[in-house]
Amino acid sequence: MSTVKEAVEVEVHVRTAYNQWTQFEEFPQFMEGVEEVRQLDDRHNHWVTKVGGTRREFDTEIVDQLPDERITWRTTTGDSKQKGTVHFERLDDTHTRVELVMDVEPSGPVEKAGDMLGMVDRRVKGDMRRFKEYMEKRGGESGAWRGRIRPGA
C-alpha cells in the first residue's frame, strides 16, 4: 500500500472548506479521473473513475466525520482499495489548511506500474491544488452536511 500526503492552504474560512468537501457529488469538478460520485446516504458513496484508460467503480464508507476537523473513509467494494483522512485546520478567519492523507493499494499491473512512477502522488497533489483554486474562485460553499459520524457507530 502506498501512502500519499498533500496539504494546501485555502483562502476561505475552515467552515467553508469543510462544508464544500462534504459535497461529494461535486468532486469531479476538481478531481482528475473522477467521472461521478453518487452519495447513497450519509455514510456511503458510489464512485466511477477512469484512470489511464481503466474504468473502475467502487463504494466508500465514511467511518469518522467531525465537522470542521476531519472526514475519514475506506473503500468497501470494488477493485480499488483505499482509505484516508482529510483534515481541516483553521489558520485564521480567512485561511484553512486542508491536508489529505491516503493509503492506496493499486490493483493490476498498469496501476502498480503507475504507482511506482508516482502517478498517484501527482494526481493527489493536482487534485488538492484544483480544490484550492475551486474554493478560492467560488468564495463560498455550494452546500453542507454538518452531521457527526463516529467510528464503530
Side-chain angles (χ1 to χ4, degrees):
M1 216 175 239
S2 296
T3 299
V4 179
K5 184 177 179 180
E6 180 65 15
V8 292
E9 185 178 308
V10 184
E11 195 174 340
V12 295
H13 189 274
V14 67
R15 185 179 181 104
T16 303
Y18 173 85
N19 286 349
Q20 186 61 48
W21 199 279
T22 67
Q23 302 307 292
F24 305 109
E25 292 184 351
E26 293 187 26
F27 281 10
Q29 295 185 48
F30 60 86
M31 288 189 174
E32 183 182 354
V34 176
E35 293 187 341
E36 178 187 7
V37 179
R38 193 170 64 249
Q39 189 160 1
L40 306 174
D41 59 32
D42 291 343
R43 286 183 176 262
H44 301 94
N45 293 297
H46 180 76
W47 293 66
V48 179
T49 63
K50 189 172 186 180
V51 178
T54 303
R55 189 170 192 267
R56 297 263 190 240
E57 292 195 38
F58 57 93
D59 293 322
T60 58
E61 174 187 30
I62 296 169
V63 294
D64 184 20
Q65 185 166 342
L66 181 61
D68 301 336
E69 287 191 26
R70 70 182 171 272
I71 301 171
T72 300
W73 76 93
R74 66 178 176 200
T75 54
T76 58
T77 66
D79 292 336
S80 296
K81 303 288 185 234
Q82 59 174 265
K83 61 183 178 178
T85 301
V86 60
H87 294 272
F88 302 86
E89 178 186 353
R90 179 187 180 277
L91 300 176
D92 60 35
D93 285 345
T94 59
H95 293 87
T96 302
R97 182 174 192 270
V98 181
E99 179 184 59
L100 177 65
V101 179
M102 206 164 94
D103 292 326
V104 180
E105 185 176 322
S107 61
V110 172
E111 287 156 343
K112 288 179 182 177
D115 184 44
M116 288 176 57
L117 295 171
M119 287 180 60
V120 174
D121 191 58
R122 283 193 301 279
R123 173 156 289 149
V124 168
K125 286 181 183 342
D127 290 346
M128 294 298 286
R129 179 181 41 76
R130 283 185 294 278
F131 177 72
K132 172 184 171 59
E133 293 166 0
Y134 181 74
M135 287 307 304
E136 290 175 355
K137 184 188 288 186
R138 286 186 63 92
E141 66 268 37
S142 63
W145 189 78
R146 307 283 305 165
R148 172 72 166 112
I149 295 175
R150 298 181 191 283

